[in-house]
Structure formats: structure tokens, C-alpha cells
Amino acid sequence: MTPAYPSTLGESIPITVRQQVQELYAHHHGWLFSLLRRRLDCAADAADLAQDAFMRLLVRPREFDSDSGARAYLGAVAKGLCIDLWRRRDIERAWLEALAAHPQAVEPSLEHRAMILETLWQVDSLLRKLPANVADAFILSRISGLTYGEIAIELKVSERMVKKYMARAMFQFVLMEAGLEAAAL
Amino acid sequence: MRLRLYDERYRQMSSTKQAACDHASLQQAAQWYAQLHAEDVTEQERSDWQRWLQQHPRHLAAWQHIETVASRFDCLRAESEHADVAGTLRSVRQRQISRRDTLKGLALLGCFGVSSLIVGREMALPAQIAARTVDYRTARGEVRDFQLPDGSHVWLNTASSINSAYTHTLRQLQLLAGEILIDTAPDSLRPFEVATGQGVLRALGTRFTVRENQEQIFIAVFDGAVEVRAASGDSRIINAGQQTTFNARHIQSPEPADPAREAWSQGLLLANDISLSVLVSELERYRHCHISLAPEVADLRVMGAYPLDDLDLALDMLAATVPVSVRHTLPWWISIDPRP
């Protein structure tokens, strides 16, 4: 059994890493797939996420000194992937509901819809790290177009505080953006 | 499409870092961003910002990150003209918060290992909701009713979902989320049960509501009786005219049932001397919105029958009966303040 690599990655992975992962795959893929299958109730999703988990090992190789060590890591990665999957589905469902509430004269293209969903995902990933009122301030400003004065009235804080919220939120966002590669795993 | 997304994500993961960026530059950049978007930003401040950008390549690098993040929000702002982006983001956040709480409740279950409950496996519950393998569900703001195969009737309140697991020996509903009202049909061969994340309810010829709210289940019985069996083994019979709250460990002593609790099945919220903050949190269940309530009016008492399918009307009625002003700042952001 070999994992199916996206061809663009194949060339950049050293052969030793590929062999290591192949071995881990042979030993642990079946177990991981069953774990995910139980968690997700869907074989196709379980297969995709199991694949994802091994992909990560190709990109960020790790040494394990025991089977239980490898499984502990893979299990943790799988849990994170499940949470991400559910979050993606939440976003998709909420967006489709929002679209349904405002029928369009012209249907957006599938490409556009995919782009919006991806942007919603990225923005949600940023916003969820913030306390509710800081996130609200940023959304009210940058998406709903309110002035800081108007936001101050809504959140019942001073305008100075709103400006601080904006700076704090943006700082959090760019920290994540700049350290993106580290944060992704 | 799927493979292309893989490629993109993994390319991002494995690409080399851009020009090094330090904490201080990023923090300054964020402050500049906040300053530049203030209504009272001056020309002087704008040129100060330009000077700061030129001061050091690290500043420029930091600003690149700002631009990347800002462009995502700008994109969604443009899309806001077509649909409610802000509301979507808020409701996703809410769902995640309640899922986290549900998972905590499930983990609690794991300790007691009660197999008769719907969760034999950790995380099956949210997975079913997310994967849409749900037999009956309502969207936010929807109230629907269904006839079950045995003639029993079930009403689903806003944002609720259930599975039905009828067998030859047992009629079971699984409450995955939200609130239901049940009117059971008699069946001499099969008992009727509702399984929840905290325990199992067995109906003894009855009409009752069940509502899950994070780690608590609320039950009100209007006819007949219901036996509550919490995951811990604690059990109790709740009779007609009684209501109670329970979790996996403990069932509270019943108190008199409030008949208003089933009014939602008729599309009404019957407020019987409840506080405004309770009314508002109930109304919020039926629409994607945030109702910002001023603390000075939160404890005002409210009476009346409020329509659940017309929030605007409900708010008009509210403004007519208690001394508040209701402002629709945005379609999804409503402010309630003392009337000036």
C-alpha cells in the first residue's frame, strides 16, 4: 500500500523521508482509517483525512521510537483534522443558508463560491482566537463598514477602546499569518 | 478539485518563509492599520505612516502581512452585498462554542460508559450533525412537526435535530440538538424513549418537551409521566405538570411546569413575567442575529405572546410594552437600550 502523492509534491520530498512514511503508512494506515471511520461515520471522509495525516508526515517528517508513539501522534493529528472538517462543513452550511436568504439575480460561479468559502475559512480561523467583542469590533468595521464611533456605541465602549481592539485583532492576525507555516501543523 | 486543494495547502505548508518579520514591526504595523481606518485620521498621520514604511525593510515586510489579511476581509466585505457574511461568521462561532460544550458532555459520558445512550463512540454526535446523517432537522428560525411511524407526533423547535431509531422492541428518538415536543401514541409492545447526551428518558404515555442546552437537559411534562435515567444511574419520575433539569450526574427536584414551555410549537413565545434578558436570549434562537441588551434594562419584566416567526413584530411589540428603544443598527445587529 502506498499513499497517493499529489504529483507536484513528489519531486521535493527526499527519498529517505518517502521510505519512512511508506513504512509508517504500512503499519498504521489501517488503524488510523478505522479510528476515523468510527469518528466520522463516513468512509470517504475517513479515507481523505487518513491520507491528510500521512501527507503531513511527508512535509514535516518526524521520528517515532515506538508504535505507540507514532499512533499517539497520528491520533492527535486525526483529531485536529476532524475538528477542521466539521468547521469547514459548519462554514459551508451557514454560508449556503445565508445565500438562500438572499436569492441572487445572477448565480455566482462555482469557482467564486469556492473562493468565498476558502476566505470564510481563513477569516474564521483568525477570528476564533479572539474574545467575542474584539472579533465583533473587527467584523463591524471591516465587513459591515461601521465607523469606530458607531462601533463604540454598539459595544458600549469608548472609541479609543475600539481602536485598541482593531490593533489587537490585526496584530493577532498578522502573527498567525507570518508564522503560518508553523501554525498549520 | 479536491486534489488541487491538497496541493495548495501542502505547498503553503512546505514553502520557505518570506522575509523575516519581527514581533515589534508586526505590532507597529497593526497599530498603523487601526489608526489609518479611524474616521479622524489626518494627513499628517498618513505621511507618518509612509515614513515608517520606508524606515526599514522589516516594516515593509510586516505591512505585506497586513495587506494579505486585510484583502481577505475586503473580499468578504464586497461579498456582503450578496449575502450576510457577518452573520455567517457569528453563527459559525456560536456553533463551535456549543459543539465544544457538547463534546465536554460526551466526555463525561465516557466516564460512565452507559451503552444504552446514543453515543457508544466519542464524537459520533457532532459527526452526525456535521455529516447531515440526521433524520429530522430544522434550520434556525424553523419550527416543524412530523408524524412518526407509530403515530406519535414530534415538533422540532428552531435549530434542532433528531434521529429516529425504531426497532421491533423499542421506539427511540435521539436528541442531537435543540428542543422537541413529543406526543406519544400508545404501543403496548414497545416503550418510547428519548436518548440524550446526559441520559435517557422513558415516556409513560405522555406529552412532554425536551431541550438540550450545552451540558443540561430540560424536560417539562404536560400529560402522563416520564422516567428520567441519568448516565450516572440516578433516576426519577417526572409527572404531568412538572418540569426539571438534569445532567449526566444528577437530576434536580421537579418544580411546577410552566405551560408556556410548549407554546413554541404554536409559533409563540409566551412571556409570563420573565426578564428581558431571558426573552432576548430566547428570541435570538430563532434568527441569525445578535441582540445587544443594555444592562440597565436587562431585568425589566415582560409579559405577552410574542410571534417567533416575525422577530421585527416581536421587537415592535416589546418597544410598545416596556420603556426601551430598539435600533436595527444592521440587519443582524439589534440594540436595545433604555428609552431616552
Side-chain angles (χ1 to χ4, degrees):
Chain A
M1 266 194 301
T2 53
Y5 308 131
S7 58
T8 50
L9 257 190
E11 312 89 62
S12 51
I13 311 283
I15 218 164
T16 46
V17 172
R18 261 193 272 175
Q19 281 169 347
Q20 268 171 5
V21 176
Q22 209 142 312
E23 209 179 292
L24 285 165
Y25 194 91
H27 282 122
H28 302 296
H29 177 265
W31 164 83
L32 186 63
F33 176 74
S34 310
L35 178 77
L36 286 165
R37 176 81 182 74
R38 282 198 303 277
R39 275 206 177 144
L40 297 172
D41 262 348
C42 171
D45 287 342
D48 281 345
L49 293 196
Q51 205 75 337
D52 258 3
F54 286 97
M55 287 304 172
R56 293 200 170 188
L57 283 176
L58 283 176
V59 172
R60 304 249 173 213
R62 283 177 76 115
E63 299 269 331
F64 301 109
D65 48 7
S66 68
D67 270 357
S68 57
R71 289 198 175 185
Y73 177 80
L74 287 169
V77 169
K79 181 174 177 179
L81 291 170
C82 284
I83 291 173
D84 282 355
L85 182 69
W86 292 328
R87 191 153 65 91
R88 254 184 215 278
R89 296 238 166 104
D90 281 350
I91 289 171
E92 192 171 4
R93 195 166 355 113
W95 181 239
L96 291 178
E97 262 179 42
L99 284 175
H102 288 268
Q104 306 294 308
V106 180
E107 276 290 309
S109 69
L110 278 177
E111 190 122 20
H112 178 83
R113 183 169 287 196
M115 186 273 288
I116 294 295
L117 283 173
E118 187 63 23
T119 310
L120 283 169
W121 163 264
Q122 288 166 347
V123 162
D124 179 60
S125 306
L126 298 173
L127 288 166
R128 59 204 288 263
K129 306 279 166 130
L130 296 174
N133 53 346
V134 178
D136 280 342
F138 205 87
I139 293 175
L140 285 170
S141 168
R142 303 317 299 150
I143 296 182
S144 304
L146 264 59
T147 65
Y148 290 179
E150 289 167 336
I151 296 171
I153 294 172
E154 294 313 318
L155 297 182
K156 303 188 185 4
V157 298
S158 68
E159 211 173 308
R160 238 178 105 235
M161 194 51 124
V162 173
K163 195 185 287 188
K164 282 195 185 154
Y165 284 173
M166 294 296 291
R168 173 177 169 186
M170 188 41 111
F171 180 41
Q172 173 75 36
F173 298 160
V174 291
L175 272 181
M176 289 175 66
E177 178 69 25
L180 185 67
E181 289 84 350
L185 297 172
Chain B
M1 180 69 125
R2 184 159 235 141
L3 196 58
R4 215 154 33 92
L5 281 175
Y6 270 172
D7 283 359
E8 213 25 73
R9 266 189 278 165
Y10 294 107
R11 213 196 319 269
Q12 276 176 21
M13 263 193 236
S14 59
S15 71
T16 51
K17 281 196 200 299
Q18 300 158 321
C21 230
D22 64 309
H23 239 245
S25 302
L26 290 172
Q27 185 158 43
Q28 287 160 19
Q31 279 161 352
W32 277 117
Y33 180 83
Q35 187 59 41
L36 291 169
H37 287 286
E39 242 203 336
D40 55 1
V41 63
T42 62
E43 276 312 308
Q44 183 60 45
E45 283 164 338
R46 281 195 211 277
S47 51
D48 287 343
W49 166 63
Q50 288 285 358
R51 242 179 321 126
W52 172 83
L53 273 181
Q54 315 300 346
Q55 211 167 40
H56 199 291
R58 274 205 302 265
H59 293 182
L60 215 49
W63 194 257
Q64 296 286 60
H65 290 304
I66 298 274
E67 298 258 298
T68 308
V69 171
S71 69
R72 293 191 196 127
F73 282 91
D74 291 342
C75 162
L76 292 181
R77 187 202 187 122
E79 191 67 16
S80 278
E81 298 184 23
H82 304 302
D84 184 5
V85 172
T88 299
L89 288 168
R90 286 193 109 259
S91 85
V92 167
R93 187 194 180 110
Q94 267 315 111
R95 223 181 296 236
Q96 286 165 40
I97 291 173
S98 44
R99 168 177 298 124
R100 208 171 42 231
D101 292 330
T102 306
L103 283 175
K104 278 197 228 143
L106 294 179
L108 206 68
L109 226 53
C111 302
F112 298 106
V114 181
S115 60
S116 66
L117 298 172
I118 56 177
V119 188
R121 344 149 188 163
E122 194 196 307
M123 292 195 189
L125 222 149
Q128 282 181 307
I129 299 175
R132 304 186 212 216
T133 58
V134 165
D135 292 332
Y136 305 95
R137 68 156 67 224
T138 45
R140 197 169 182 123
E142 237 190 319
V143 174
R144 295 179 64 185
D145 62 298
F146 305 93
Q147 181 109 325
L148 297 168
D150 65 328
S152 299
H153 215 89
V154 62
W155 287 257
L156 265 68
N157 204 351
T158 174
S160 302
S161 47
I162 62 171
N163 273 335
S164 80
Y166 274 34
T167 68
H168 293 307
T169 51
L170 178 66
R171 301 171 289 165
Q172 193 190 72
L173 293 183
Q174 299 161 352
L175 176 62
L176 302 171
E179 182 172 15
I180 56 179
L181 166 67
I182 297 169
D183 212 326
T184 59
D187 184 324
S188 48
L189 298 173
R190 298 180 297 175
F192 189 102
E193 282 188 355
V194 177
T196 74
Q198 308 297 322
V200 179
L201 306 164
R202 180 167 284 213
L204 309 167
T206 154
R207 182 180 173 94
F208 61 106
T209 58
V210 190
R211 175 176 172 182
E212 67 83 28
N213 193 2
Q214 298 172 7
E215 284 169 66
Q216 311 261 61
I217 306 285
F218 171 85
I219 167 172
V221 183
F222 304 104
D223 200 14
V226 172
E227 184 203 15
V228 178
R229 258 183 296 138
S232 63
D234 199 11
S235 89
R236 194 154 205 157
I237 296 190
I238 312 296
N239 289 299
Q242 291 185 322
Q243 65 187 33
T244 188
T245 305
F246 71 97
N247 61 28
R249 284 170 303 244
H250 174 66
I251 307 171
Q252 290 177 19
S253 299
E255 51 179 25
D258 179 3
R261 304 270 0 170
E262 59 167 330
W264 58 263
S265 64
Q266 308 301 318
L268 288 175
L269 172 58
L270 291 181
N272 202 354
D273 191 38
I274 59 177
S275 72
L276 185 52
S277 65
V278 168
L279 179 78
V280 158
S281 58
E282 283 300 305
L283 290 177
E284 273 184 320
R285 292 170 69 196
Y286 295 85
R287 197 152 109 176
H288 284 299
C289 68
H290 175 72
I291 302 180
S292 171
L293 188 61
E296 307 96 293
V297 293
D299 290 323
L300 287 178
R301 312 309 286 181
V302 179
M303 305 259 310
Y306 292 84
L308 291 171
D309 56 358
D310 192 340
L311 184 69
D312 294 325
L313 180 58
L315 291 170
D316 284 344
M317 286 171 59
L318 188 65
T321 51
V322 283
V324 294
S325 79
V326 177
R327 277 179 305 123
H328 290 73
T329 311
L330 289 163
W332 60 275
W333 185 288
I334 295 163
S335 260
I336 301 183
D337 296 291
R339 196 178 296 153

